C-alpha cells in the first residue's frame, strides 16, 4: 500500500527519490548511466534500504519495514495501467525492465565491472541476452520467468495497444527479450492474456496493422524492382554504329541504381522498425 501511494505522484517522483537514497547521480539521461543504475538496482534480491532503524529509534519510533526490490518492480509496472502516465515514462519503464533482464545475473552477489559492461553493451546494441552463470540457458529462463511473474509480460502486452508507436516499439522489444529461447512460462502468460477476450483486442489490432504494413511494403518493393528493370531495358542501352551495345551507364552505376531502388518501400522493414519488431516477436 505504501508503494502504491508513492506512485500517486508518478513514476518520476519515485525514481528521483529512490535514486537519491542510493546515491544515483544521473536520472536525467535514462538511456545512459541513470537507466543502467536503475536496472542494476531492480535486478537485485532483498530489500531496498529506504528506512534506517537507528534513525527511527533515535526518534522513539519504530522503523517501517523496507520494501523489497521486487515490490518496486510490481509498483512500477502497475503505473503502466494509468492513462495519465506519459509516453516518455512508459518507454523508460519498458527500457529499464528490459535492461534489468540483461543485467540480472543469478547467483552473483555483485557484478564485476567488465561483466556489467558487456551485458550493458549487448542491451544497447540489441543483441541476444547471454548469462555467464552455468547453465546459461537455465539461468536466462529463470530471469525471464522472474520478470514474467512480476508482471513484465502483461504490462508489455497491454502497451502493445498504446496510441504512441514508440511506446508500442518499447513494449515489443521487451516481449522479444522475454521470449528469447522460447520461454514456456512467458508463452503461457501470453496465451492466457490473448485468450481473455476484449483486453487482447488491442494486441491483435497492432499486430495485424504491422503485418498489413509489411505486405504493402513488400508489394511496393516488387513494383519498384519491375519499374527499375523496365527503365533499364528501355533506356539503359543504346546501339553503336557498328551494331554493338554500348551502355550509357557503367556497371557500378547500374548496381548503384538497383540498390537504391531496392531500398524504396522497405524503410519500414529495417531491423529496428516497428513492423520488423512486431514480426520478430510473432
Amino acid at each position: 500500500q505504501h508503494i502504491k501511494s508513492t506512485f500517486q505522484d508518478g513514476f518520476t517522483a519515485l525514481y528521483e527519490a529512490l535514486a537519491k537514497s542510493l546515491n544515483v547521480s544521473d536520472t536525467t539521461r535514462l538511456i545512459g548511466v541513470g537507466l543502467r543504475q536503475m536496472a542494476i538496482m531492480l535486478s537485485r534480491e532483498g530489500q531496498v534500504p529506504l528506512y534506517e532503524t537507528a534513525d527511527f529509534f533515535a526518534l522513539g519510533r519504530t522503523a517501517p519495514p523496507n520494501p523489497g526490490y521486487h515490490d518496486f518492480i510490481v509498483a512500477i509496472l502497475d503505473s503502466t495501467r494509468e492513462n495519465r502516465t506519459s509516453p516518455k515514462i512508459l518507454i523508460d519503464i519498458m527500457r529499464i525492465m528490459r535492461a534489468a533482464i540483461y543485467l540480472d545475473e543469478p547467483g552473483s552477489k555483485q557484478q564485476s565491472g567488465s561483466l556489467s559492461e558487456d551485458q550493458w553493451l549487448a542491451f544497447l546494441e540489441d543483441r541476444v541476452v547471454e548469462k555467464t552463470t552455468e547453465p546459461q540457458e537455465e539461468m536466462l529462463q529463470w530471469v525471464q520467468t522472474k520478470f514474467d511473474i512480476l508482471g513484465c509480460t502483461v504490462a508489455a502486452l497491454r502497451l502493445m495497444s498504446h496510441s504512441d508507436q514508440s511506446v508500442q516499439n518499447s513494449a515489443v522489444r521487451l516481449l522479444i527479450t522475454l521470449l528469447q529461447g522460447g520461454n514456456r512460462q512467458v508463452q503461457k502468460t501470453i496465451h492466457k492474456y490473448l485468450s481473455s477476450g476484449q483486453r487482447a483486442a488491442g494486441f491483435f489490432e497492432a499486430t495485424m496493422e504491422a503485418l498489413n504494413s509489411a505486405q504493402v511494403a513488400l508489394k511496393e518493393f516488387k513494383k519498384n524492382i519491375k519499374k527499375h528493370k523496365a527503365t533499364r531495358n528501355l533506356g539503359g542501352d543504346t546501339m553503336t554504329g557498328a551494331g554493338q551495345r554500348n551502355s550509357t551507364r557503367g556497371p557500378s552505376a547500374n548496381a548503384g541504381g538497383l540498390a537504391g531502388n531496392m531500398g524504396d518501400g522497405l524503410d519500414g522493414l529495417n531491423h529496428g522498425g516497428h513492423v520488423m519488431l512486431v514480426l520478430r516477436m510473432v
Side-chain angles (χ1 to χ4, degrees):
Q1 186 62 36
H2 170 72
I3 299 173
K4 293 192 73 173
S5 65
T6 304
F7 266 84
Q8 291 177 356
D9 295 326
F11 177 63
T12 303
L14 170 72
Y15 72 64
E16 290 288 352
L18 192 56
K20 183 178 179 180
S21 70
L22 295 172
N23 296 318
V24 176
S25 58
D26 182 4
T27 58
T28 58
R29 294 175 58 244
L30 274 184
I31 194 59
V33 178
L35 186 148
R36 179 175 175 175
Q37 290 174 314
M38 287 289 290
I40 291 175
M41 178 196 69
L42 293 177
S43 67
R44 294 174 180 171
E45 302 294 326
Q47 295 180 319
V48 182
L50 291 181
Y51 309 116
E52 293 292 341
T53 303
D55 294 339
F56 282 84
F57 182 77
L59 298 173
R61 299 170 58 188
T62 302
N66 283 318
Y69 290 104
H70 290 185
D71 296 322
F72 272 93
I73 293 176
V74 172
I76 289 170
L77 292 172
D78 194 51
S79 72
T80 62
R81 299 174 181 273
E82 301 291 334
N83 293 329
R84 63 180 181 176
T85 306
S86 71
K88 180 183 182 303
I89 295 301
L90 293 173
I91 291 170
D92 286 341
I93 291 174
M94 294 293 98
R95 284 174 172 171
I96 288 172
M97 296 304 161
R98 183 166 168 264
I101 296 173
Y102 275 80
L103 296 170
D104 192 335
E105 192 67 34
S108 176
K109 293 184 178 180
Q110 187 173 5
Q111 291 179 308
S112 65
S114 60
L115 172 59
S116 177
E117 186 67 27
D118 290 343
Q119 293 175 324
W120 177 248
L121 287 176
F123 162 72
L124 292 179
E125 295 172 2
D126 199 22
R127 289 187 270 125
V128 296
V129 186
E130 293 184 356
K131 299 300 174 187
T132 58
T133 307
E134 296 289 349
Q136 295 180 343
E137 291 185 6
E138 291 183 16
M139 290 300 101
L140 173 59
Q141 289 190 12
W142 186 90
V143 173
Q144 291 169 324
T145 301
K146 164 187 166 181
F147 282 89
D148 170 76
I149 292 172
L150 293 174
C152 278
T153 306
V154 172
L157 288 167
R158 186 167 54 245
L159 292 180
M160 275 286 294
S161 59
H162 197 277
S163 58
D164 190 304
Q165 193 172 94
S166 295
V167 174
Q168 291 183 28
N169 287 349
S170 296
V172 175
R173 286 182 183 278
L174 177 56
L175 286 171
I176 290 173
T177 300
L178 287 164
L179 284 165
Q180 181 187 314
N183 187 292
R184 299 293 292 179
Q185 176 61 41
V186 175
Q187 290 184 41
K188 288 179 181 178
T189 300
I190 292 175
H191 179 267
K192 181 178 179 181
Y193 182 91
L194 298 183
S195 302
S196 61
Q198 186 60 37
R199 69 175 184 172
F203 173 89
F204 286 116
E205 288 174 5
T207 303
M208 199 63 188
E209 183 179 341
L211 293 175
N212 289 337
S213 296
Q215 187 177 31
V216 171
L218 288 172
K219 286 182 178 179
E220 187 68 20
F221 174 66
K222 291 180 180 179
K223 184 170 69 175
N224 284 333
I225 285 196
K226 289 181 180 179
K227 182 179 178 181
H228 175 79
K229 287 181 177 179
T231 302
R232 186 178 60 182
N233 291 336
L234 289 174
D237 296 330
T238 58
M239 298 296 291
T240 65
Q244 296 177 339
R245 287 193 177 276
N246 179 35
S247 177
T248 58
R249 296 178 296 174
S252 60
N254 281 333
L258 181 59
N261 280 274
M262 286 179 70
D264 294 341
L266 288 181
D267 293 340
L269 294 181
N270 62 68
H271 182 73
H274 175 68
V275 173
M276 187 56 69
L277 284 172
V278 174
L279 292 177
R280 286 168 59 194
M281 179 201 63
V282 172

